[in-house]
Amino acid sequence: MQVKNVKLTKDQFYKTRKQVLESWSTGKSLSLDESFRYLNSLPEHKYFSKVLDNAKRNNKLLLQPRGGVATLRGQKTLLEGFIKAGADLMPVTIDSYTRQNEYLKSEKGLSESLTTKKSVLNGFPAVNHGLKGCRELNNSITKPLQARHGSPDGRLLAEIIHASGWTSNEGGGISYNIPYSKNVSLEKSIYDWQYCDRLVGIYEEMGISLNREPFGPLTGTLVPPSISNAIAIIEGLLAAEQGVKNLSLGYGSVGHIVQDIAAMISLRTLATDIFKKYGYTINLSTVYHQWMGNFPREESAAYSVINLGSLTAVLSAANKMILKTPHEAEGIPTLEANMDGIRTSEHMVKMISSQIGSIKIDVTDELQIINEETNLIIDKVLDTGDGDLVQGTIKSFANGVLDIPFAPSIYNQGSVIPIRDHLGAVRILEFGNLPFNSHIKNLHREKINKRVKMENRKANHDMIVSDIFSISNGSFFKRKSHEVMKC
Amino acid sequence: MQVKNVKLTKDQFYKTRKQVLESWSTGKSLSLDESFRYLNSLPEHKYFSKVLDNAKRNNKLLLQPRGGVATLRGQKTLLEGFIKAGADLMPVTIDSYTRQNEYLKSEKGLSESLTTKKSVLNGFPAVNHGLKGCRELNNSITKPLQARHGSPDGRLLAEIIHASGWTSNEGGGISYNIPYSKNVSLEKSIYDWQYCDRLVGIYEEMGISLNREPFGPLTGTLVPPSISNAIAIIEGLLAAEQGVKNLSLGYGSVGHIVQDIAAMISLRTLATDIFKKYGYTINLSTVYHQWMGNFPREESAAYSVINLGSLTAVLSAANKMILKTPHEAEGIPTLEANMDGIRTSEHMVKMISSQIGSIKIDVTDELQIINEETNLIIDKVLDTGDGDLVQGTIKSFANGVLDIPFAPSIYNQGSVIPIRDHLGAVRILEFGNLPFNSHIKNLHREKINKRVKMENRKANHDMIVSDIFSISNGSFFKRKSHEVMKC
Amino acid sequence: MNTDNTIVMGVIGQDCHSVGNKVLHFAFKEKGFVVHNLGVQCSQEDLIKAAKEVNADAIVVSSLYGHAELDCRGFSTNCIKNGLNNVLLYIGGNLSIGKSEWEVIERKFLKMGFNRVFSASDDLEWAIDSIYNDISLRKFKHPVSVTENKDASQKRKVN
Amino acid sequence: MNTDNTIVMGVIGQDCHSVGNKVLHFAFKEKGFVVHNLGVQCSQEDLIKAAKEVNADAIVVSSLYGHAELDCRGFSTNCIKNGLNNVLLYIGGNLSIGKSEWEVIERKFLKMGFNRVFSASDDLEWAIDSIYNDISLRKFKHPVSVTENKDASQKRKVN
Ligand code: B12
Ligand code: B12
């Protein structure tokens, strides 16, 4: 079987569906009709799509923390706390065993958590909780729920959560595979995510609008914006083909104000253009992730990183922001730490939103670079697949036209090496097989050279390791005489 | 006696000095020659002037927290903690009794603090500690010390701290009177601060460079930038006349990025021009105060306010930043809270400094307004004094040409009423007797009207009270559909 | 509310924090109180003298700067010494040095003779209503003659 | 340091955190270790099998995602069962779910048979030096034959 970017037929879908639902006991009782009735009975404020529309109309930046614990009661308490602290959209982070379909292991973790009254899982095992548990959770919370996970094959999970009234699902065949798995083929993960998207498309046909969100930040570590944006747009196109209409495209901050704003503008405008070009009618929103890489251990320093994110998210007119907490470097945050993350984010968002009209930052240079690069990548991927986006994607990863830095997958070349330039922006030291022209490549090289001169230091592995830790260290440079704006 | 802006003669100075030193037991043993020898023996890194020069050369933003406790041992521990957390310049905040020359009360507070082992004073009673205690403190700390207080008459304090090797003194005849006192006449406070400045001038003549810093933020509450900048420059001129050569001019953030950057640029450039114009050779540096008004009680929200300050300070190329702590709204911060304030500030400063070269914000409109207003005020003050700046200042406060919002002094008119506009900047609702032309006034009115329309709410006392709490609330507006940058 | 409740208010000791004082003054006035505001840096004597002069129902003390305890020692006794047996005493603001447990602070000032103790974060509406009710109750129990002049502090120079 | 110390390293369980693994790999190599890096998502079996194959001096386990305890149960016993009596066991990363007391975590993993337990914030230089010294000491006590091939993982596809 060769996977293609074609809408799954009802036949294909329902045949697969049977197997999916049988893969674990909690899948067996699902019925689309019954789920439709349940979803249809939910009020508007439980719908991601509606809440996002509202926010877009009012230029409001929605706040979504992260969080999942093993037990139902624990998850309820967590989400209630999130709401109390000011969060707008609810996450349910799924545990790592469930993400790999190891439901037996998560079952064990769940029962151990129930006996020890302490979550031994790093997330909520939604498949094990099944329709009953997931609906109970949904019914007890007044804001819309989204599953956030990292499953290369999240089909049963998608079935269960949507049937339980969770109106958004994060992930995608690329973004929930390459950064999250070592051995899963793209062929398989893309195919499995076509199923998840088709499921949403089927609900859409029934008049139920569910939101889908590819995972923007990928490895969260120095990913050049054009690479993550290209992948976000490709995943958007793949979802659109399966009938998804309500789409949030995300981006993970590189910790550089100008590059981050430019990246968000580029993501929004290119995605809009490209969806239109390929004939998809999409209700698009954008998501800004506060810094996703290595965090400072000191909580006071973590607050600075969080606040930098909030500032930039407002400046880039994102519709939703995904939040970190002061515990990020240490481990799964407590509810209290999560609430602190929400509060500090909300406060910064409010202050900046109140004055945003007066702030004019010039990002044109950076915007042009990202636009050009992203277009080059997407065009080449399509080209590589002879017009088919799925084949293009698979082949492009194989030959390095698509290449995600630091990713664990054996299906990723890992030849692209990012590095910061003299002004802190993320550039590319090794291009691998990225389809960039010499104009672009020279631009990167020049800027990297400026840093080499400035720091009087080689652009080598050692420098890259420094860059991985740059945001947790604060300073991006070793011996930089801080160049401050001269007036 | 009519005070004039003329350098005190040696005669005048030494006559006064005798009385000053006799006003409390610890003053009696002071000798300028002995102090000169002590100061002369101190290494360069104990000098504010040198450390500031160094920082300016390297475009480094220096960090200075605030802090003072009653006992010597407590103050040492505090300052050592500051250094450990990353502070560059040491404050010694003086208690409120000492500031009002009530040395008997501070003596009581000190002994009570020693017995109860808990500071019952809100600062360090330097006069009571005398040369012995203050030098011991100075010798035990590797960074330079500055007295920060709020004394309308800080002459004995100045004598003791400089003789003890503290190489900077904050304050001024206006800035340490009008916001800090009810009944002290400007005539007296300016005269007394001429003494403090002359003392520094005399050390300067002996080859000892001491730093002086007028207190920029005044009441810290919605002070329009042109008002605080005009006063900072006037105090700078008064100090320069007495022979001060190393001067730091400060500004307190109004919590509005663009207005704050513009204010800092204006302060730096106008001060430089005006000092030159009046023939003073000044080594100038600038100081940015993180938000000085009412703080949010929630610590996580306080972090956002602190981080906003650090961001703007770097963007405005300040040389020094005065820090707040997450305990600000609650009370004198613990050492731990102070260290958190330092760490979160340092982290943000490092991140922004690393990328500052790429950030271009347009502040020209705001800059022009502040420049014009500040010049109008300073010119009018000089005019009012028939060319004499001291008389001009005193008369200008009397007739409201100089007027500090919310100040407690009966020598301040209190007719100027500030208010935020539709984009969050601080404007003026009631001009009192400010010497602004109709072009400027209309500009303020237009902007305020835009807010009135936007919020559909009157520009009245109620709105001003909201504005006092705007930074602690986060949102500056009541029912604003947050206007976010459209791209 | 339109009352003839009369208060004397001020910030005690060497405390210069004037912003809250202005906000508070306005809030009491809006609730119909007759307000005599002495501004910042008031001594116990200033407050007591003014309270006697205007026959105040209550003295409303603020302290922000951390010396509240030192500044208020003996205040209640001094009031009685000066013949102010019926005046109600209130205090509010940042009443300790540093972040402290509220219960401890409250108890301390109640023991010193204040009728109510308010923290800087207490709701102002609620606080003023409580004071209003206290005064009404007290008047009902001890009817006394009432001063005439409305907001006398307007005649005074207060900044 | 130029050694023939051989390690097998990998991130255990379903854990996908690959960045630290790459940094660690490089750091061991720089210190002259012969490194067999299995990358992320290794089972106990993968690690044990590789250690036997290359006759490793030590197995260096990482776990970031919070399931360390669940994933490592019986690891030391399984090593011995498979004839790895002399191999040293190390683990490092974010070893608990949530912010926990380090002593408690350390004790737990020491009890499970790890020779040393490292937190994510430990200095890497120091950590690798400790491992180096442990291996030297162990070799001195139990001299064994030593594998030839340098950094075999370069032949392996590891991302
Ligand atoms: C980037 C990141 C991701 C990326 C990873 C991309 C990739 N493929 O690598 C993405 C977004 C995909 C991700 C996913 C998840 N993550 Co994650 N992630 C991080 C983050 C922010 C940085 C990790 C990193 O790269 N650090 C940089 C490297 C260089 O440092 P390091 O990994 O710590 O490794 C160093 C040291 O630990 C040490 N070390 C490691 N092992 C050993 C062994 C020895 C012997 C020695 C001496 C030293 C040593 O040396 C290494 C090199 O310096 C951390 C939090 C943090 N640290 O800031 C969370 C974090 C590790 N993730 C976490 C979690 C829970 C997850 C998820 C389960 C859920 C989620 N949040 O989506 C999934 C995991 C799915 C899975 N199957 O594993 C938690 C773990 C919680 C816990 N332990 O309590 C953390 C701590 C965040 C948090 N506070 O919640 N994550
Ligand atoms: C602005 C400010 C200043 C300005 C004041 C300008 C002026 N003339 O007003 C300046 C910079 C000059 C200043 C100086 C000092 N300050 Co100051 N200042 C502040 C700050 C940031 C805001 C105060 C403010 O205006 N708030 C807004 C108003 C509206 O609120 P408010 O004052 O709290 O008043 C309200 C309530 O408290 C309540 N309330 C007050 N009284 C009463 C009474 C009753 C009965 C009721 C019901 C309610 C009530 O209602 C008011 C109106 O809403 C506070 C910290 C904070 N709160 O964020 C520190 C703070 C009050 N200052 C403090 C200190 C120590 C000082 C100084 C001693 C030292 C210094 N840091 O330089 C000097 C004081 C010198 C002196 N002689 O008093 C400390 C007090 C510490 C403590 N209690 O432990 C604080 C808490 C900061 C801190 N954490 O260290 N300060």
Side-chain angles (χ1 to χ4, degrees), chain B residues 7 193 341 393 402 451 483:
Chain B
K7 198 179 207 166
W193 273 95
T393 300
L402 287 171
R451 170 167 179 198
E483 198 69 51

Side-chain angles (χ1 to χ4, degrees), chain B residues 96-97 100 102 112 120-122 180-182 297 299 329-330 332 406 408-410 412-413 461, chain C residues 14 16 18-19 22-23 26 38 40-41 65 67 70-71 73 94 97-99 120-121 157 159:
Chain B
S96 291
Y97 293 137
Q100 305 289 336
E102 301 212 39
E112 198 173 319
V120 301
L121 291 178
N122 61 10
Y180 282 96
S181 296
K182 185 164 70 172
R297 223 143 261 280
E299 292 190 23
E330 290 289 348
I332 306 266
F406 308 111
S409 172
I410 58 169
N412 186 64
Q413 278 227 351
H461 189 277
Chain C
Q14 294 306 340
C16 75
S18 47
V19 183
K22 286 174 204 286
V23 171
F26 182 80
L38 309 187
V40 307
Q41 295 175 337
Y65 75 153
H67 289 182
L70 294 176
D71 293 333
R73 281 191 188 150
N94 287 64
I97 293 208
K99 209 168 170 165
S121 58
K157 173 102 180 122
N159 271 282

Side-chain angles (χ1 to χ4, degrees), chain C residues 91-153:
Chain C
I91 190 163
N94 287 64
L95 298 178
S96 69
I97 293 208
K99 209 168 170 165
S100 310
E101 229 189 300
W102 174 246
E103 278 70 37
V104 179
I105 301 172
E106 191 178 25
R107 215 175 313 124
K108 187 182 286 171
F109 284 89
L110 287 175
K111 226 172 129 186
M112 285 167 80
F114 287 92
N115 295 77
R116 287 179 192 269
V117 186
F118 299 97
S119 91
S121 58
D122 281 340
D123 182 64
L124 218 52
E125 287 261 334
W126 168 81
I128 294 178
D129 286 349
S130 309
I131 294 174
Y132 178 91
N133 291 336
D134 286 359
I135 297 178
S136 306
L137 205 68
R138 174 70 54 106
K139 277 190 179 156
F140 180 75
K141 285 198 204 147
H142 313 268
V144 283
S145 79
V146 155
T147 175
E148 286 298 280
N149 53 339
K150 285 249 158 197
D151 198 358
S153 70

Side-chain angles (χ1 to χ4, degrees), chain A residues 95-97 100 102 105 109 112 119-122 179-183 219 221 297 299 327 329-332 406-410 412-414 461 465 468-469, chain D residues 13-19 22-23 26-27 30 38-42 46 65-67 69-71 73 94 96-100 108 119-121 157-159:
Chain A
D95 71 289
S96 290
Y97 294 137
Q100 305 289 336
E102 300 213 40
K105 282 199 182 168
E112 197 172 323
S119 183
V120 301
L121 291 178
N122 61 9
Y180 282 96
S181 295
K182 184 164 73 173
N183 288 320
T219 54
T221 306
R297 222 144 263 279
E299 293 191 23
H327 281 187
E330 291 288 348
I332 306 263
F406 309 111
S409 172
I410 59 170
N412 186 64
Q413 278 226 352
H461 190 277
V465 173
I468 290 172
F469 292 105
Chain D
Q14 294 305 339
D15 196 334
C16 74
H17 291 90
S18 47
V19 183
K22 287 174 204 283
V23 172
F26 182 81
E30 276 220 317
L38 310 186
V40 307
Q41 295 175 337
C42 303
D46 295 338
Y65 75 152
H67 288 182
E69 193 185 341
L70 293 176
D71 293 332
R73 280 189 189 151
N94 287 65
S96 70
I97 292 207
K99 208 168 173 165
S100 309
K108 186 182 288 171
S119 91
S121 57
K157 173 99 180 122
V158 178
N159 272 281

Side-chain angles (χ1 to χ4, degrees), chain C residues 72-91:
Chain C
C72 291
R73 281 191 188 150
F75 192 29
S76 157
T77 327
N78 288 340
C79 285
I80 294 167
K81 266 193 203 149
N82 283 279
L84 291 175
N85 298 304
N86 261 323
V87 76
L88 291 160
L89 297 182
Y90 298 98
I91 190 163

